[in-house]
Amino acid sequence: MKTLGVFNIKGGVGKTATAVNIAYLAAREGFKVLFWDLDPQGSSTYYFRVKPKVKGGTKGLVKKKHDLEQLIKGTDYDNLDILPADFSYRLLDIELVEKKLTTLFKILKPVTDDYDLLVLDCPPSISALSEHIFSVVDGLLVPIIPTSLSLRTYEQLMSFREEKGYDNSRVWPFFSMVDRRKKLHRDIIDHASEEYPEFLNSYIPYSSIVEQMGIKRAPVHAFAPASPPAQMYNSLWEDLKFRLQLL
């Protein structure tokens, strides 16, 4: 099972929308996908029309008090299951702070042979949970709004990882919520290849269609498959598939 984390220190950057759409595209292509909504806000769980509740909550998961397979729920889509969010995940940092960095892997171990891809929707922070996530993923997808502050938090993330000895070649940043009507967005993207050559070529446009995911409670492709955001998520998925060696 390959593991993809969708992460940013900042919130409101299109992280959850990206995680949901990438998971959907992978499942649609026939890969068995498990989605873990680690964010106590439960937005991904809401999009997938699943109740944000895990029996036993954070402590039950970490101490493996319940059968993981019974905690995983199906979604409306073939090949796509979800381990839902739970409001107690706000305490996950506290539970993990003294634990070995293999703890998340051990929680998931009972189902690793059942899925091709695990997608982690990570809460916005840099914390003990973040380090556990960094230790378990094959790739870390980082959505960045083309603004100075967003790029600054990206640099903070890369510096933190470098100090801790993580492999930064496994961090895959891309621009998100791009509004090409804004000169600042255009300027940053046009010059990004010089300063940030590691950025993926695909970017997700700012669009009301993505915002409609909250009304439709579905991935973009389920209600607007020909829209520009859907096409750009396709492009992003093709890039990720190659990087995760899922071809």
Side-chain angles (χ1 to χ4, degrees), residues 48-66:
F48 284 125
R49 301 175 184 268
V50 173
K51 185 178 180 181
K53 183 70 178 176
V54 174
K55 187 177 181 181
T58 292
K59 287 187 178 180
L61 264 178
V62 173
K63 295 179 179 177
K64 293 181 279 191
K65 287 185 176 178
H66 304 283

Side-chain angles (χ1 to χ4, degrees), residues 76-128:
D76 293 340
Y77 310 104
D78 292 341
N79 303 319
L80 179 50
D81 295 335
I82 183 170
L83 181 54
D86 188 284
F87 196 58
S88 69
Y89 286 178
R90 70 192 188 281
L91 305 175
L92 200 46
D93 277 332
I94 298 171
E95 288 293 325
L96 292 175
V97 71
E98 299 291 340
K99 303 288 185 184
K100 292 181 178 178
L101 293 176
T102 53
T103 300
L104 287 185
F105 176 78
K106 288 181 178 177
I107 291 171
L108 294 163
K109 197 172 188 310
V111 299
T112 53
D113 290 337
D114 298 336
Y115 296 96
D116 302 305
L117 176 64
L118 168 67
V119 177
L120 301 176
D121 184 8
C122 310
S125 66
I126 190 79
S127 62

